[in-house]
Amino acid sequence: MRSARAFLLVLGFSSVAGIVGTGTCTTTQEQESTEPLPVLKQYNSRRRREAVQASLHAAQRGSGTVVKSHFIQDEETLLQLADPQLWTKCVDHQSEVGLRFLPAGEKPKNVWEEIALLIWQDHPVVTTKNPDNTPSFAGFEYWCNIITPGDSLDWHVDKDEALGMESNTMVNPIFGAVYYGFPHRFTGGYLELLPVDPQQSPSAEEYYWKDGAQTNQDNGFVASFERIEAQYNRLVLFNVSKWHRVSAVTRGARFTFAVNLWKEKPRKLHINTVDPKQQQA
Ligand SMILES: *[C@@H]1O[C@H](CO)[C@@H](O)[C@H](O)[C@H]1NC(C)=O
């Protein structure tokens, strides 16, 4: 027993010495008096196994943030999307019709619906059918969004706005996607994500202050956010039921095409630019 313990101490000590780079040779006497090595605090083996299972399970149900750069590789499509008028028309059209929605299983009727299908075609919710072979989701809600300096997209979650107003219940999409398909030029405008929903933390700000975040006044960067650059031709899939926002655009214009996957068709479009006072509704 005693020799086994001494052996462990030697192993432990030599690995620490290796890290700090001292070549000191020690005697057994000294090792006996060495203070216990600092332990890297981690979960026990049961909890670690649970983490492995949780990760596997999350992938199966299509959870987790995905960032895919240079998403579309078809030149014709990219050139078509490089026309700013296509985007302003998209914005105008949706303010007329309110909700733009492609039901599951239907053929695409325009370039936006084609891209919506492309974005979601490999997602487990889309590829997995119900036992009776019907789709396991209602369809895709989509919209375009152009943010210029002065516009803001404050902390919010995507939800069926109509239901929220009437019954104070919150119904969220299954998952969301944003695609930056216009070769835009701007500064600022990062997608920022928090790992909590309004039930877990009724206020987004409260969450990150509790987390010890520090704001850098110069550029508005708050250390504890997950922050994603809205690079041209980048696709981001993320859980829109959790708090997210777009940081201020300081110059130029930032173009987004967004597509949410819904279990039930929502009755009212998720409002793009959210008044912070309305968020709690
Ligand atoms: C998204 O987040 C909500 C709220 O935290 C959670 O209930 C839901 O399981 C998440 N969805 C996925 C697909 O991860």
Side-chain angles (χ1 to χ4, degrees), residues 159-204:
K159 56 183 189 289
D160 188 335
E161 301 288 341
L163 268 181
M165 304 272 181
E166 280 164 25
S167 54
N168 215 20
T169 50
M170 181 138 76
V171 179
N172 307 103
I174 300 171
F175 224 59
V178 287
Y179 170 62
Y180 308 112
F182 180 75
H184 47 194
R185 293 177 63 198
F186 65 97
T187 53
Y190 289 85
L191 174 63
E192 296 181 328
L193 312 174
L194 287 177
V196 287
D197 62 48
Q199 254 156 11
Q200 293 164 308
S201 180
S203 139

Side-chain angles (χ1 to χ4, degrees), residues 58 61-64 123 172-175 195-197 200 239-242:
R61 59 193 194 101
S63 188
H123 192 273
N172 307 103
I174 300 171
F175 224 59
V196 287
D197 62 48
Q200 293 164 308
N239 190 334
V240 290
S241 309
K242 300 186 195 287

Side-chain angles (χ1 to χ4, degrees), residues 11-26 34 37-38:
L11 258 186
F13 191 85
S14 62
S15 67
V16 169
I19 290 166
V20 296
T22 65
T24 327
C25 198
T26 51
T34 305
L37 286 164

